[in-house]
Amino acid sequence: MYGKAFAPEYQGALTTLSVNSSLTDVLAAGTEQLRAAERAGKPGEVARSGLAVAEAQRRLGRVADADRAWKASYRAAREAEDAGAMAWALWSGGTLARQRGALPLARRLLQLAADLGEHGGDIVVRGYSLAGLAETGRIQGDYEAVGRLHEQLLAEARRRGEARHTVWALEGIAQMHRNTGDYDTAYALFEESAEIAARAEDRRGHAWALRGLADVVSVRDGDTERALELLSEAETTCRAMRLSSALAYNHKMRGNVLYRAGRYAEARALYEQALAEFREMSEPRGEALSRLGLAKSLARLGRDRGETAAELAELAGTLERIGLQHARKMVARAHEELGIPDTGLALAGATEAAR
């Protein structure tokens, strides 16, 4: 049995906030409590309220503000000699680093957070930090290395009845199965994730699960309308909670669904929208993936083949610099699909060497 989902990153005087609180509400409450703690000279409370501020800013896509907030939270936690609060601040910083494509930094910060969490006896932040490390590896495409960690964290979450972490782990494992072509297993895991999230009132996790289901329904079944319905349901949640990053990925997935259906002009518009959203929040991974979808759509709409080849070459280099091991396969598939010779990596390397 799973209890109602909770948000352990909302701490101290902010524990009354829900996992489903809108990010603007979290930011307002966190900022108010942060100022009060600063006036009272309570560094421990400064650290914990500052964590909520950092997370709200990060999820709203305000990278610079989030970066300042997690560092200030860490400094306050260190002043208070609170290892647990230090670990949570590092977790926030590591998550932000992953979001903005700094994957080596993300791994360093998240490992430090996990170590501090273990040292301070905070099993929750340790679990979240290990989950962050697992997700970072999964995003890079290192499935063999992080698959076991996902399964381990899933078992721990099930044992403790932690719905939110169970949902996260199921979705991560489902995504790996989807990316390796095991669509039936991916669908079953996304479906279980959606069911647990709904029962636990984890609206954020539910929205991500619906996005995963839409992807599989589209690529496996070719059911475009059902996929778009699932994405529309998820988008309603993203807008209500001001989940900027999740909304941008939702729009990119809508572009994927429309592209697969041969509706290239509509797909182009969605990729352009997602690209603008990712650029506004300085999220290079989402930006690069949106550019890839846009390049393919434009090619289908008659763009010059040479321009498309140059775009794919640049994207190959960009994705590799971010550290995505599966980038070569993604670009290679685009070359094959569009019938364009695959000289992308060589061109990208030459371009980089000339800079």
Side-chain angles (χ1 to χ4, degrees), residues 8-245:
E9 66 269 34
Y10 303 152
Q11 302 173 6
L14 300 172
T15 54
T16 56
L17 290 172
S18 163
V19 67
N20 297 319
S21 296
S22 78
L23 295 177
T24 49
D25 289 345
V26 172
L27 182 57
T31 300
E32 180 181 359
Q33 185 57 37
L34 175 60
R35 299 293 173 253
E38 288 174 338
R39 289 193 298 270
K42 298 179 178 179
E45 187 59 32
V46 168
R48 296 185 182 279
S49 52
L51 172 67
V53 171
E55 281 302 287
Q57 297 283 27
R58 179 184 68 78
R59 290 165 179 166
L60 287 167
R62 301 170 185 172
V63 173
D65 291 333
D67 191 53
R68 286 190 291 270
W70 84 258
K71 289 174 180 174
S73 174
Y74 178 82
R75 288 193 298 270
R78 187 172 57 188
E79 181 184 347
E81 299 182 349
D82 186 333
M86 290 168 65
W88 276 109
L90 289 168
W91 165 79
S92 180
T95 306
L96 176 65
R98 183 178 65 242
Q99 181 174 311
R100 59 187 179 87
L103 301 185
L105 175 61
R107 287 194 299 272
R108 287 198 298 273
L109 293 175
L110 290 166
Q111 187 62 64
L112 286 170
D115 293 343
L116 263 177
E118 185 170 10
H119 174 73
D122 189 328
I123 62 170
V124 179
V125 72
R126 174 187 171 276
Y128 269 59
S129 301
L130 290 175
L133 285 167
E135 186 164 347
T136 302
R138 177 175 58 78
I139 287 171
Q140 290 182 283
D142 194 3
Y143 299 159
E144 183 176 352
V146 301
R148 291 186 296 275
L149 183 54
H150 273 79
E151 295 285 359
Q152 172 194 331
L153 293 169
L154 173 60
E156 291 179 6
R158 286 192 190 279
R159 187 167 59 250
R160 293 196 296 265
E162 291 181 1
R164 193 179 177 202
H165 243 207
T166 299
V167 166
W168 166 85
L170 284 169
E171 290 174 358
I173 296 167
Q175 191 64 50
M176 287 186 279
H177 281 291
R178 180 263 178 264
N179 289 349
T180 53
D182 188 353
Y183 300 128
D184 291 343
T185 300
Y187 186 91
L189 292 171
F190 278 129
E191 188 173 47
E192 182 183 359
S193 174
E195 291 171 354
I196 293 172
R199 290 198 302 269
E201 300 177 28
D202 176 5
R203 297 180 67 197
R204 181 184 295 113
H206 190 250
W208 280 107
L210 292 179
R211 176 184 174 276
L213 285 171
D215 186 25
V216 177
V217 165
S218 167
V219 73
R220 182 190 68 178
D221 305 333
D223 192 341
T224 302
E225 296 312 311
R226 176 57 180 155
L228 294 175
E229 288 173 5
L230 289 165
L231 289 170
S232 293
E233 183 181 349
E235 181 167 349
T236 298
T237 296
C238 293
R239 291 192 180 279
M241 296 180 64
R242 294 289 303 276
L243 301 174
S244 302
S245 180

Side-chain angles (χ1 to χ4, degrees), residues 295-324:
K296 290 165 59 178
S297 298
L298 290 171
R300 294 293 191 182
L301 292 168
R303 187 188 191 186
D304 178 78
R305 288 169 61 85
E307 292 180 6
T308 299
E311 176 91 6
L312 292 177
E314 184 181 348
L315 278 169
T318 297
L319 289 166
E320 289 209 332
R321 284 193 297 275
I322 293 173
L324 304 179

